Amino acid sequence: MKINTLSNLNHFSGTVLIPVFETDASNNHINSYNDIEISTKLFSAKKDSHYIIEKNNNIYIYIGLGKTIEYKALKTIFRRISSKQKEHFGNNLALLLTDNFEDNHVEAMISGLLLGTYNLGHFKVDRKLHPFLDSDFDFNIVSAKDHQSIAKKALKIAKAQLSVYELVDLPPNTVTPKYLSAWAKDTGSKYGFQVEILGYEASKIAGLGAFLAVGKGSENEPQFIIMKYTPKVVAQSMKHIGLVGKGITFDTGGLNIKTAGMLHMKCDMAGGGAVFGAMQLIADLQLPVQVTAIVPCAENSVDAKSFLPSDVINSYGGHSIEIIDTDAEGRLILADGLSYLIKNFKPEYIVDIATLTGSSVATLGFECGALFTNNIEMSQKLQQSGDAIGERLWPLPLWDAYKSDIESDIADVKNYSGKPVAGAISAAKFLEYFTQEHTAWAHLDIAGVAFGDDEFAKSKHATAYGVHLLTKFIENL
Ligand code: BES
Ligand code: MG
Ligand code: ZN
């Protein structure tokens, strides 16, 4: 696809997208192209409304935005247009922007257009390419302002999100830990970050005992993935951020096998997916920061070699862990991920992201992720970044009153309280135990927002939650 800027539609022929605020619906300006007069009875620019007319061989799609519109809603409207009106796209498209659109509006619109190309039918024989993805497709921005750089950024964001849709939606017999390490290597060499992989033997030598306890019960070898990004131009006072993502390619529960909800557990690497997507995007945008990211990838499976409830295992940080429930596996691999990150790379800020608990879903539903941190700056910046793009977070406490939930009689700590209360909080307290009292650590439990239902498919699918949030947070630091 090629992006061009046009100052008017005089020589354009094809489909024209015309986003309109309600306050401008009766404005002559939007009605003045090619002498089209649209009565406000037919199109009042209410949110989610649209109106299509054909004139002089062009198709004009008027898109209602209401009085004001939030980033996420705007992006969804454009995703909808791109996904459901693609038969009108042909091989070119014009986006008509009046002066009242800001950068973030333009970013949301163009990201939405690219996201609309997503097709869940990965294994269908008659899979068709969306016209927008064709290398000859002409995308024209018709505006008095220059939106080229924001358009390019919008496409980079959506491209990273599309990568993550695919990683999360592909089935667990495709997306194994080795698939993810190959993806990381390919993407690292394409976009510019380094990748190091520790397989089973190397993880054993390194002492990643909690990670291997989870991964050893599967035919698919666990992969501890380490990624490092440094910008091409290195600044003096560059910030160093550490990311850790849960990369469970499938969560059967292990020997504490799941009764309900197992079907959807290919989504249990979505936190890792968010970290992979953020690494792609950060490198693509060449952000002036240093980022070290770890995604421990494993399948939590049922096997003679699986770890047992009541096992006591050793962690990378040297602390012993009593296994109460093999289904509380995410916190085990993250514990080793966090310890490894802190001991070897000492980042200034740390964010981990994981589909960690059903309890976070029971608490907050599908509207936001749960945010745990004692660092006020991080809490504010994470929430602000999320609010700006519709990937919201809401805080839950990390009080020491919850510490007793993970105290073990036999070992240093246990992986589950055994009680059906405050599960997201005790999981966060477990992770905190492995952060070596780092003062700038935040944990995001995204079990309710990483995978779900929407208008774009019949079955639950990936949202790529976290890709943009982590990137924006890092940009805002
Ligand atoms: N992967 C699940 C959490 C999850 C739930 C992710 C719903 C996505 C949607 C996690 O590993 C898990 O099994 N958590 C258990 C923990 C419990 C056994 C302490 C849970 O939340 O029930
Ligand atoms: Mg589990
Ligand atoms: Zn899990």
Side-chain angles (χ1 to χ4, degrees):
M1 183 227 311
K2 287 165 282 181
I3 316 175
N4 318 300
T5 305
L6 303 178
S7 55
N8 57 56
L9 279 169
N10 293 349
H11 300 288
F12 178 82
S13 124
T15 294
V16 187
L17 303 181
I18 310 175
V20 187
F21 282 111
E22 217 171 317
T23 37
D24 297 329
S26 56
N27 190 330
N28 290 330
H29 190 56
I30 69 146
N31 287 332
S32 63
Y33 291 97
N34 296 21
D35 305 320
I36 300 169
E37 290 277 347
I38 298 174
S39 147
T40 49
K41 282 185 190 141
L42 292 175
F43 178 70
S44 61
K46 282 213 170 11
K47 204 168 286 175
D48 291 332
S49 67
H50 70 265
Y51 182 75
I52 307 184
I53 99 162
E54 189 182 355
K55 186 150 184 189
N56 309 327
N57 288 323
N58 283 6
I59 292 172
Y60 297 85
I61 305 181
Y62 289 82
I63 301 160
L65 306 180
K67 291 194 179 72
T68 58
I69 192 152
E70 291 190 335
Y71 189 94
K72 180 78 176 291
L74 186 54
K75 190 163 155 179
T76 305
I77 288 174
F78 273 73
R79 180 175 176 187
R80 184 182 305 135
I81 298 275
S82 167
S83 134
K84 299 187 177 161
Q85 308 287 341
K86 57 179 168 289
E87 67 276 16
H88 295 311
F89 274 28
N91 59 1
N92 64 2
L93 193 67
L95 173 63
L96 192 64
L97 294 175
T98 48
D99 291 345
N100 47 2
F101 290 109
E102 294 157 13
D103 276 357
N104 63 326
H105 289 129
V106 180
E107 184 184 288
M109 291 184 220
I110 295 176
S111 280
L113 288 177
L114 187 55
L115 290 184
T117 65
Y118 186 61
N119 178 348
L120 263 164
H122 295 288
F123 295 90
K124 286 191 189 286
V125 183
D126 64 341
R127 189 169 163 83
K128 288 190 194 72
L129 193 73
H130 189 290
F132 201 64
L133 295 174
D134 197 298
S135 54
D136 289 332
F137 191 89
D138 266 321
F139 178 53
N140 302 284
I141 300 176
V142 187
S143 169
K145 283 198 239 168
D146 180 11
H147 296 289
Q148 280 280 339
S149 71
I150 200 75
K152 288 202 176 112
K153 183 174 184 184
L155 293 175
K156 287 176 182 180
I157 295 167
K159 208 169 158 195
Q161 291 170 323
L162 286 173
S163 302
V164 177
Y165 284 168
E166 183 167 321
L167 288 180
V168 176
D169 287 333
L170 284 173
N173 58 343
T174 299
V175 179
T176 58
K178 278 207 168 135
Y179 182 98
L180 291 173
S181 54
W183 184 94
K185 279 189 176 158
D186 285 354
T187 310
S189 58
K190 195 162 159 210
Y191 289 87
F193 56 85
Q194 289 178 309
V195 181
E196 189 193 337
I197 313 287
L198 307 182
Y200 184 87
E201 287 305 327
S203 298
K204 202 163 178 181
I205 293 165
L208 294 163
F211 169 61
L212 286 185
V214 177
K216 69 183 176 149
S218 169
E219 279 289 307
N220 295 308
E221 186 185 341
Q223 305 275 288
F224 193 84
I225 304 179
I226 305 159
M227 293 166 282
K228 294 176 207 155
Y229 162 77
T230 21
K232 288 187 186 116
V233 187
V234 178
Q236 276 282 308
S237 60
M238 216 167 41
K239 296 221 152 74
H240 181 195
I241 297 105
L243 301 174
V244 182
K246 174 176 175 182
I248 294 292
T249 56
F250 196 77
D251 184 11
T252 65
L255 290 175
N256 291 107
I257 196 162
K258 283 187 185 295
T259 46
M262 197 201 292
L263 173 65
H264 302 305
M265 283 304 139
K266 68 177 181 185
C267 80
D268 217 16
M269 41 60 71
V275 170
F276 287 133
M279 287 304 282
Q280 173 180 322
L281 183 53
I282 290 162
D284 205 5
L285 296 171
Q286 276 293 304
L287 294 189
V289 290
Q290 194 188 339
V291 185
T292 308
I294 294 185
V295 183
C297 296
E299 188 186 273
N300 189 20
S301 213
V302 180
D303 185 81
K305 293 202 194 83
S306 294
F307 67 139
L308 307 174
S310 82
D311 269 354
V312 175
I313 62 168
N314 243 311
S315 67
Y316 181 79
H319 294 285
S320 57
I321 305 170
E322 178 187 8
I323 303 303
I324 301 296
D325 195 311
T326 61
D327 200 8
E329 84 297 340
R331 63 198 75 183
L332 298 172
I333 67 165
L334 291 174
D336 274 0
L338 287 164
S339 303
Y340 194 95
L341 176 74
I342 295 167
K343 184 172 172 215
N344 296 291
F345 304 110
K346 303 177 185 60
E348 205 176 329
Y349 297 89
I350 303 170
V351 183
D352 79 69
I353 179 161
T355 48
L356 204 62
T357 66
S359 157
S360 76
V361 190
T363 308
L364 296 168
F366 309 106
E367 294 307 322
C368 61
L371 165 65
F372 297 88
T373 182
N374 285 323
N375 184 295
I376 292 163
E377 182 202 2
M378 287 182 82
S379 161
Q380 285 175 346
K381 289 202 167 139
L382 280 161
Q383 271 197 294
Q384 280 163 5
S385 307
D387 288 348
I389 55 165
E391 294 185 13
R392 288 189 288 203
L393 287 166
W394 199 256
L396 288 176
L398 266 178
W399 300 317
D400 275 339
Y402 291 98
K403 227 173 166 175
S404 58
D405 280 351
I406 52 162
E407 281 168 1
S408 164
D409 289 315
I410 193 169
D412 292 323
V413 64
K414 64 184 180 190
N415 80 331
Y416 175 41
S417 66
K419 291 180 277 186
V421 295
I425 303 174
S426 52
K429 289 305 281 183
F430 182 89
L431 297 181
E432 185 189 41
Y433 187 87
F434 294 88
T435 58
Q436 297 160 41
E437 298 179 356
H438 198 289
T439 53
W441 161 70
H443 158 59
L444 316 182
D445 191 338
I446 61 162
V449 287
F451 197 73
D453 292 301
D454 64 22
E455 62 187 277
F456 297 107
K458 290 183 277 294
S459 49
K460 287 189 196 295
H461 55 278
T463 63
Y465 180 102
V467 174
H468 198 184
L469 172 64
L470 291 173
T471 308
K472 192 146 188 106
F473 164 72
I474 289 171
E475 264 184 319
N476 288 345
L477 266 179

